[in-house]
Amino acid sequence: MVCRRIGAVCGYLKRIPNLLPIFLGLVFLAMFGPLLYAKIWQHLDNDPDRGAIAFSGEFGEKYSTPRYLDQGWTPNDSLWFYNTSQGSALLPYDLFMALRFGDSDELFRSDKNFDKFRYLPQKPTFFNPDGLPVGFVKTTYKGKDYIGYTCAACHTAQVNFKGQAIRIDGGPAMADMVNFLGALEQAMWIAQKGDKRKQFVADVLKLKNDYSSEKEVVDDLVKWTYTVRRYNIVNHSDVKYGHARLDAFGRIYNRVVQYAISRDQMAKELALVTEPGGDKKPLLTLAEINKVLEGLGDAITFSDDEFGLIVERLLSDKPGYPNLGIKKFLYVRDKIFNVPDAPMSYPFLWDISHSDYLQWNGLAPNAGPGPLGRNTGEVIGVFGILDWGAQDTSWWHPFAKLEKFSLSAILSGQRNKNHVIGFNSSINKFNLARLESRLRDLKSPEWPFCRNDKGEYYLPTYRKGVYPSDPNYCDGNNKRFDEAQRHQGELLYIDRCQSCHVVVDRSAWDRIVVAHMSGVDQIGTDPAMAENSTKHNGKSGNFKDTYQSTTVGNVVVQEDAPVVQILTAATKGVIATPDADKWLPRRLAEWVYALGISFFDNPIKASVKSGNYSPDTTADPYASLRAYKGRSLNGIWATAPYLHNGSVPTLWDLLLPADKRPKSFKVGAREFDLVKIGFKSEGYDGTEFLTDLQRGNHNTGHDNYCHPGEAKQPDGSCLTDEQRWQLLEYVRSL
């Protein structure tokens, strides 16, 4: 095949027999060598502790080296998952490594500081030579190193019990990302001042990596300080997230809108921003708008630097600029972007590769390339570098017309547009496909605690190869469960829970987890996330008048479009674009590999959603998204706090009528409450969660366990306390 395509070269090489096999071997290595190298590299870190360390940290917690349960992963699997880049680039790596925390001399990256925001400290290992916490990794893009997030930062949990710790792979993190980014911005401002600046520059240059002069360091420090500040301002919300929650979708949506809006659309939006009050006075004059957009031409999309320039000009007090200040800038923000005011718990990851629909509202179908699209959208949200820009379609460009026939142009709907956006980015589709494949082997964690003769819980001494399901796991005749109570709980579960929360065999390789969708009106839980997913709109830029598919047919994207349409178009474009900073043979081989395993190695097929929800219609093509997903509850014991927005601290509280649940509680500690099943929720200085004040924080719903016509208990429920304890005992065993 190779010789048929390059016959002249092969004809020449045949006259020099010794060169032909060498040439063919080089072609093979160029195409497949990187794949082989990646497979070998993947197995090189086998630290028996998986990098975990004993630690004393926030909220007075002190624990020994965390242990792991049998979740189907080896130490190597965990370490590879923690330390494999997906293309996230929060900050240049050298700047992050040298940054100090606030006014102190403590490094911002210290274990103590990371633990403050509830990221999990790690020791140096082969994959992680700098000892970064779980989920932070060095990403290299176009020859420069960055610090970035991996999936593990938000999807690795830990449960503490009386000085012992259990690390849960794929569990929801306790991370406080918003305050982490706020502290990062503050530290970067401080690093620009006086002696702090001198020390910072010296520390960066000592690394002898990406910087060789003071000017390079200072220029990048200033640039990236404004980048972090801009992200924090755009995503400001009066609904406080705190620990264990993030409005990931709101932030993904805002990043897509930033890169979609065109210069003309930006000018119109700025002209429509008004002062608060009844007279609707324009916030900006036409002269100020022209000054802000000066030099940006007829851009169909803005680079990050160009968008940053617009923001800084809006805030600037130099002559001719608006000098808005943060408060008035938020009026502009509200016009262009959407407030990310629907924080959600980080979902657990076991069984996602076996599920038909994902995300809290079933937004992401999991068939075909669905996982690659879902993960690409996630990296867009967590600081993937998006080098999107207009492709050269001018008549003098030799391949101008071919740009409209590129796969990215066709899939993103730009085939018939006068101009075409290209989707180069740092997003590593090859690694995303491999990470998703690895998750297929991840199993839910089994309840690891035993009861002694007095009914007291304890965690048995660790013995290699002996896990909770082993008959010899507990000491003597002790058991993990009260079998009589567990059996009664199972009957109750079948009768009142299983119609929404299917029971699966955690070890069955062919298991399929079917999501049961319940409309917001039926389930009664906080509606913010589901409503925002369909009601949040943005300017569509070059995607205007393109066709995008829905479950009920194609729709034409309007100038003001649901952001879900814009995200879908952009994600398709990114997936269809080979990684930008790899040389051609490797780029094509890895891209084909990522697409190939997405289509041919995904056991999930397209199917209709199950449940009780409003179906999509031609008049309302996203109606089904105003619903929440009930999924299998295996391993649910390790995933507090509960409900999609983390508004209920324990499973016991979840089984109570909504008006009997805690109105406020603390979040952030990892000490486990084995009785009610959840984390410690009072008696320490964690995030104060108030459940009845704001949309996004409500703890209502999911409390109707009654059959039609069934008599209720005095508290308004159809469950007695005894039945609740029985259900908890059964849920522990899932």
Side-chain angles (χ1 to χ4, degrees):
M1 176 62 76
V2 173
C3 281
R4 283 204 301 269
R5 293 203 179 268
I6 49 175
V9 175
C10 284
Y12 173 77
L13 291 172
K14 285 177 180 176
R15 293 193 289 270
I16 312 175
N18 291 335
L19 291 184
L20 181 58
I22 295 175
F23 173 75
L24 295 177
L26 289 174
V27 171
F28 180 85
L29 283 176
M31 293 293 293
F32 301 105
L35 302 182
L36 180 62
Y37 173 79
K39 288 291 186 181
I40 294 173
W41 176 270
Q42 180 176 331
H43 297 283
L44 294 183
D45 197 342
N46 287 286
D47 180 75
D49 296 323
R50 312 189 195 204
I53 58 173
F55 198 74
S56 299
E58 198 72 2
F59 308 132
E61 292 179 355
K62 183 177 182 179
Y63 55 86
S64 57
T65 301
R67 56 200 272 189
Y68 283 76
L69 303 174
D70 177 18
Q71 291 188 254
W73 277 5
T74 65
N76 168 255
D77 291 329
S78 297
L79 288 165
W80 184 77
F81 179 72
Y82 298 164
N83 299 293
T84 295
S85 172
Q86 54 184 353
S88 169
L90 170 62
L91 198 68
Y93 195 77
D94 294 356
L95 303 189
F96 186 79
M97 296 300 285
L99 195 64
R100 307 279 169 166
F101 181 69
D103 281 317
S104 73
D105 289 328
E106 180 185 353
L107 287 172
F108 191 86
R109 61 183 173 89
S110 70
D111 289 342
K112 178 182 177 182
N113 188 50
F114 269 120
D115 180 72
K116 176 183 178 67
F117 302 102
R118 306 274 71 186
Y119 293 108
L120 297 166
Q122 292 281 91
K123 65 184 177 183
T125 65
F126 181 80
F127 285 161
N128 182 22
D130 291 321
L132 298 172
V134 170
F136 285 78
V137 70
K138 180 191 291 185
T139 291
T140 301
Y141 179 64
K142 292 186 176 180
K144 189 168 184 176
D145 294 334
Y146 298 87
I147 186 78
Y149 284 93
T150 75
C151 305
C154 300
H155 303 288
T156 307
Q158 185 167 299
V159 171
N160 296 346
F161 179 68
K162 296 182 178 180
Q164 301 176 82
I166 301 171
R167 191 69 57 84
I168 309 292
D169 281 332
M174 192 63 75
D176 183 355
M177 182 178 176
V178 172
N179 283 316
F180 173 80
L181 294 175
L184 178 66
E185 178 192 341
Q186 182 185 35
M188 295 173 75
W189 285 116
I190 292 173
Q192 297 179 37
K193 300 176 181 177
D195 291 340
K196 291 288 185 182
R197 170 172 157 170
K198 293 178 182 178
Q199 181 187 31
F200 179 78
V201 170
D203 289 344
V204 171
L205 294 178
K206 280 180 190 176
L207 297 174
K208 297 181 179 180
N209 187 29
D210 285 334
Y211 297 93
S212 58
S213 70
E214 177 180 354
K215 184 178 185 306
E216 289 178 354
V217 175
V218 173
D219 286 351
D220 247 15
L221 175 61
V222 172
K223 171 188 171 180
W224 283 90
T225 301
Y226 281 106
T227 298
V228 175
R229 178 178 79 151
R230 185 164 65 251
Y231 178 89
N232 288 341
I233 294 173
V234 165
N235 291 291
H236 170 75
S237 170
D238 289 334
V239 177
K240 304 303 180 186
Y241 301 2
H243 295 94
R245 302 199 307 166
L246 185 73
D247 187 351
F249 263 110
R251 288 160 182 258
I252 292 170
Y253 276 15
N254 280 343
R255 281 211 92 201
V256 170
V257 168
Q258 174 187 327
Y259 284 87
I261 192 170
S262 67
R263 195 265 186 208
D264 288 344
Q265 291 174 349
M266 177 67 79
K268 293 175 185 176
E269 291 294 89
L270 292 177
L272 289 171
V273 181
T274 59
E275 297 266 15
D279 57 0
K280 299 295 182 181
K281 178 184 176 182
L283 184 66
L284 304 168
T285 66
L286 181 60
E288 289 173 333
I289 293 172
N290 290 334
K291 185 74 171 175
V292 166
L293 298 178
E294 187 177 31
L296 297 178
D298 298 320
I300 62 171
T301 182
F302 294 115
S303 69
D304 196 58
D305 287 343
E306 289 170 335
F307 185 81
L309 182 62
I310 292 172
V311 173
E312 297 314 316
R313 286 173 172 177
L314 287 168
L315 297 171
S316 175
D317 60 359
K318 293 180 180 178
Y321 292 112
N323 189 22
L324 293 182
I326 298 298
K327 183 177 180 179
K328 288 189 175 181
F329 176 78
L330 288 177
Y331 302 146
V332 177
R333 188 280 305 265
D334 292 346
K335 188 65 179 175
I336 298 171
F337 298 101
N338 298 282
V339 181
D341 57 1
M344 300 162 284
S345 291
Y346 301 104
F348 54 86
L349 297 188
W350 48 85
D351 293 334
I352 66 166
S353 296
H354 300 271
S355 299
D356 59 348
Y357 286 87
L358 294 172
Q359 308 301 1
W360 286 111
N361 67 336
L363 174 67
N366 211 29
L372 189 58
R374 164 172 45 84
N375 291 321
T376 296
E378 175 257 328
V379 187
I380 288 174
V382 290
F383 313 109
I385 295 175
L386 307 180
D387 285 332
W388 300 356
Q391 299 295 291
D392 190 350
T393 57
S394 54
W395 64 268
W396 58 81
H397 190 285
F399 301 108
K401 297 303 180 185
L402 295 181
E403 297 293 350
K404 296 184 179 182
F405 293 93
S406 68
L407 186 60
S408 64
I410 293 171
L411 292 183
S412 63
Q414 300 181 89
R415 165 69 181 81
N416 295 315
K417 302 293 290 185
N418 288 330
H419 302 282
V420 175
I421 294 175
F423 295 95
N424 286 335
S425 73
S426 65
I427 299 171
N428 193 320
K429 279 83 71 179
F430 176 60
N431 280 353
L432 290 178
R434 295 163 68 214
L435 286 163
E436 185 73 20
S437 180
R438 176 58 52 214
L439 285 169
R440 195 171 301 160
D441 296 329
L442 183 66
K443 298 186 293 188
S444 57
E446 295 179 298
W447 179 262
F449 302 100
C450 298
R451 280 197 190 102
N452 61 24
D453 295 338
K454 298 178 181 179
E456 300 168 332
Y457 284 107
Y458 67 94
L459 188 62
T461 302
Y462 174 72
R463 289 174 288 164
K464 186 176 181 180
V466 179
Y467 294 106
S469 57
D470 191 302
N472 298 315
Y473 177 73
C474 296
D475 298 342
N477 294 321
N478 297 162
K479 303 292 183 183
R480 291 191 295 150
F481 311 115
D482 180 322
E483 286 300 328
Q485 195 174 41
R486 193 198 71 82
H487 176 67
Q488 291 301 314
E490 181 178 13
L491 297 178
L492 281 166
Y493 188 93
I494 293 170
D495 185 43
R496 299 179 185 270
C497 307
Q498 192 165 306
S499 61
C500 293
H501 300 287
V502 62
V503 176
V504 300
D505 179 353
R506 65 188 286 273
S507 299
W509 65 270
D510 60 346
R511 64 191 182 276
I512 295 180
V513 182
V514 178
H516 181 96
M517 304 305 302
S518 296
V520 170
D521 292 338
Q522 283 77 39
I523 195 66
T525 51
D526 188 281
M529 183 269 170
E531 291 177 349
N532 289 0
S533 70
T534 61
K535 292 183 178 179
H536 278 185
N537 279 17
K539 290 296 181 180
S540 59
N542 207 53
F543 299 121
K544 178 187 175 184
D545 295 335
T546 63
Y547 290 91
Q548 297 299 329
S549 61
T550 73
T551 60
V552 292
N554 289 340
V555 295
V556 178
V557 178
Q558 304 297 304
E559 181 170 329
D560 290 294
V563 183
V564 65
Q565 290 179 1
I566 305 171
L567 174 61
T568 299
T571 299
K572 289 178 180 178
V574 174
I575 289 174
T577 304
D579 295 346
D581 67 332
K582 298 170 183 174
W583 69 307
L584 185 61
R586 179 185 175 190
R587 185 187 312 174
L588 294 177
E590 292 188 357
W591 179 61
V592 170
Y593 177 92
L595 292 180
I597 65 172
S598 295
F599 280 100
F600 303 115
D601 193 37
N602 184 354
I604 302 300
K605 309 303 179 186
S607 62
V608 175
K609 288 180 180 177
S610 172
N612 181 18
Y613 59 93
S614 298
D616 297 331
T617 66
T618 54
D620 192 356
Y622 302 107
S624 66
L625 299 182
R626 291 191 291 276
Y628 290 120
K629 181 183 67 172
R631 60 183 292 181
S632 171
L633 299 185
N634 50 316
I636 195 69
W637 65 269
T639 66
Y642 297 102
L643 291 184
H644 69 277
N645 62 346
S647 60
V648 180
T650 71
L651 283 177
W652 170 263
D653 296 314
L654 185 61
L655 294 176
L656 295 173
D659 61 358
K660 300 296 191 295
R661 293 169 183 164
K663 301 301 181 187
S664 67
F665 59 94
K666 298 286 188 176
V667 184
R670 296 196 182 99
E671 190 65 21
F672 197 59
D673 180 345
L674 285 80
V675 177
K676 291 185 175 181
I677 309 183
F679 292 108
K680 181 180 178 182
S681 58
E682 57 185 8
Y684 66 99
D685 188 25
T687 297
E688 181 76 20
F689 195 117
L690 302 175
T691 65
D692 59 350
L693 298 181
Q694 292 174 299
R695 174 182 176 273
N697 284 345
H698 298 155
N699 69 351
T700 53
H702 199 284
D703 61 348
N704 184 9
Y705 302 98
C706 301
H707 294 302
E710 183 176 1
K712 295 185 178 182
Q713 301 295 319
D715 64 2
S717 170
C718 289
L719 295 175
T720 66
D721 281 354
E722 181 181 9
Q723 288 174 320
R724 292 187 181 99
W725 293 122
Q726 290 168 348
L727 274 171
L728 288 190
E729 193 70 0
Y730 176 66
V731 169
R732 287 185 179 97
S733 71
L734 293 176

